[in-house]
Amino acid sequence: MNGVLVIGASVGGLTVVEALRRKGYGGHIRLVGDEPHLPYDRPPLSKEILTGRWPIERALLRDREQLDDLDVELDLGRRAEQLDLEARTVCLDDGRHLRYDSLVIATGLAPRPLPFQPAVAGIHTLRTVDDALALRRELPTARRVVGIGAGVLGCEIAAAARSLGRQVTLIDPLSVPMARQIGGELGARIAAMHQRRGVHLRMGAGVCGFNSVNGRIGAVELADGEVVPTDLAVIAVGSVPATDWLTSSGLTLSDGIACDAYCRAAPDVYAVGDVARWRHPVTGVSTRLENRTNATEQAITVAANILRADRPYTPTPYFWTDQYDTKIQVHGVIAPDSRIRLIEGDAAAGRFVALAESGDTVTAAIGWNHPRGVRTARRRLVMDP
């Protein structure tokens, strides 16, 4: 028996391993990760790790002793390069061919680069712990910081840089921050929150180039002709599923790995987390979710299905973000045409629960500094179990 091979050693891959052991699986498990670090949590990278409030060790998901207790063979700092479905093997960058009985792909995302991004110092992306540390090293000497992209990650980075006293400009082609995640009305509240803390917002603006001086970023050029001076630029314009190594595998790749309702991409091959796209059995919509909660819940379902549970994956989408002293939680999906209705708390005081509604249907429960209230409100969602 070749056991279970897990490619991707972040929270999704590790949770598969832990769930298999909890369910009594005693076979061989190998966990392969392309970073040399022990598995770590990604949400703190743009907050506690970036600001220096946490040491790196605090972001580790498990220490070495806990991993040893799982009886898992770790291959860290190794990259998967090819999958052969017929031979049931994965080829690594060191030339080894690893056989499997069941394969789990949990390779996550890669930052989306700008097509005109120059190779000069002072331009960063943030996906890995090494990215966070490189950015953290430069922040103390960067008086001016530009964030390109005002989604969740871009807003969190802006909040972290502002909390360290940097001058921050946040640029995005949409009219308000986090518009794709929470819509215009709540996005306007995010904008006001950042502006109160001194962030300069350039919404509705596109970036068309960079100016550099002596090999280092000096300014960001906007499409309307404005030039924004900066000492440091962070690009957060989205991510793409890390599936390049699977292009010749025979798996169906369509903005992720296409799976059935059981997260199965091929016989005995499963996908977990940000990289997995599956048809939600309740909504009927082809779905790919980019958040930590989905990675853990999906991993638990996949572990059960490896052990022949045949359990469809039916989550309620959920994400959260911490910016300054504000925690925002969203259960469900806020559609572009959603109406936001306050049901508890005080919006002016910055603590409330609201519902997003499309017609007569509640599509999301939103908590703004109100974790307990939003847990209760999520029961109103049509997709909630």
Side-chain angles (χ1 to χ4, degrees):
M1 298 290 289
N2 298 296
V4 178
L5 175 60
V6 182
I7 306 296
S10 193
V11 64
L14 180 60
T15 301
V16 170
V17 175
E18 293 183 321
L20 285 170
R21 292 303 190 213
R22 282 198 307 270
K23 294 175 185 296
Y25 178 74
H28 180 260
I29 304 177
R30 184 190 296 267
L31 182 63
V32 177
D34 62 356
E35 296 181 61
H37 313 287
L38 295 179
Y40 61 86
D41 213 5
R42 294 191 189 274
L45 298 184
S46 57
K47 299 179 278 291
E48 293 87 356
I49 299 300
L50 186 56
T51 59
R53 294 198 304 270
W54 283 13
I56 297 303
E57 293 74 20
R58 189 168 173 182
L60 294 180
L61 291 165
R62 301 291 181 266
D63 61 27
R64 176 65 70 173
E65 183 177 351
Q66 291 169 317
L67 291 169
D68 289 343
D69 289 342
L70 289 170
D71 189 24
V72 57
E73 187 167 353
L74 289 175
D75 264 313
L76 300 178
R78 296 268 66 94
R79 188 177 66 254
E81 292 196 331
Q82 190 173 18
L83 166 63
D84 187 328
L85 290 175
E86 185 175 352
R88 290 178 172 250
T89 59
V90 171
C91 179
L92 301 187
D93 58 353
D94 61 2
R96 282 182 295 157
H97 289 73
L98 305 181
R99 294 186 58 81
Y100 63 83
D101 295 312
S102 294
L103 173 67
V104 179
I105 302 170
T107 45
L109 302 171
R112 179 182 285 114
L114 293 173
F116 46 81
Q117 185 172 323
V120 298
I123 298 179
H124 293 259
T125 56
L126 178 54
R127 176 64 185 169
T128 69
V129 67
D130 290 332
D131 294 337
L133 292 176
L135 183 54
R136 189 170 83 178
R137 283 193 294 269
E138 291 205 37
L139 276 173
T141 57
R143 184 167 61 90
R144 300 164 299 187
V145 177
V146 167
I148 301 170
V152 174
L153 179 60
C155 285
E156 290 181 348
I157 293 169
R162 193 72 193 100
S163 72
L164 294 173
R166 308 286 79 84
Q167 297 178 20
V168 178
T169 300
L170 191 57
I171 303 169
D172 196 280
L174 299 182
S175 60
V176 294
M178 290 176 53
R180 291 187 179 88
Q181 292 84 18
I182 62 176
E185 183 176 339
L186 294 173
R189 295 189 64 85
I190 295 285
M193 177 177 67
H194 281 277
Q195 287 173 320
R196 283 195 303 271
R197 287 164 172 82
V199 174
H200 178 52
L201 297 181
R202 285 294 280 111
M203 298 293 103
V207 172
C208 65
F210 298 89
N211 293 337
S212 60
V213 179
N214 297 324
R216 183 171 183 86
I217 181 71
V220 176
E221 300 176 3
L222 304 188
D224 63 3
E226 182 181 352
V227 176
V228 182
T230 189
D231 308 305
L232 193 64
V234 186
I235 298 172
V237 294
S239 303
V240 293
T243 58
D244 287 352
W245 66 286
L246 297 169
T247 52
S248 63
S249 67
L251 296 180
T252 301
L253 305 178
S254 177
D255 185 33
I257 301 170
C259 301
D260 62 15
Y262 305 91
C263 306
R264 186 169 44 228
D268 298 313
V269 177
Y270 300 84
V272 161
D274 301 341
V275 78
R277 174 172 291 281
W278 86 106
R279 187 163 296 278
H280 196 293
V282 175
T283 66
V285 175
S286 178
T287 303
R288 187 174 66 81
L289 300 176
E290 297 181 8
N291 60 73
R292 187 193 192 285
T293 302
N294 171 68
T296 55
E297 292 179 349
Q298 198 167 35
I300 292 168
T301 297
V302 163
N305 290 339
I306 289 172
L307 301 178
R308 305 297 183 252
D310 290 331
R311 180 187 304 167
Y313 182 52
T314 58
T316 297
Y318 169 76
F319 79 89
W320 84 95
T321 177
D322 294 326
Q323 298 173 37
Y324 307 109
D325 56 356
T326 298
K327 177 180 283 292
I328 303 162
Q329 298 166 282
V330 178
H331 296 269
V333 177
I334 303 175
D337 62 346
S338 291
R339 179 179 69 257
I340 306 299
R341 180 165 63 89
L342 189 76
I343 62 170
E344 185 178 346
D346 183 354
R351 185 174 185 269
F352 64 88
V353 180
L355 299 178
E357 299 171 326
S358 291
D360 296 329
T361 302
V362 176
T363 65
I366 304 116
W368 202 282
N369 280 332
H370 210 318
R372 183 164 59 181
V374 76
R375 284 196 299 270
T376 301
R378 67 168 281 174
R379 298 171 188 166
R380 305 193 188 195
L381 299 181
V382 294
M383 68 173 62
D384 204 36

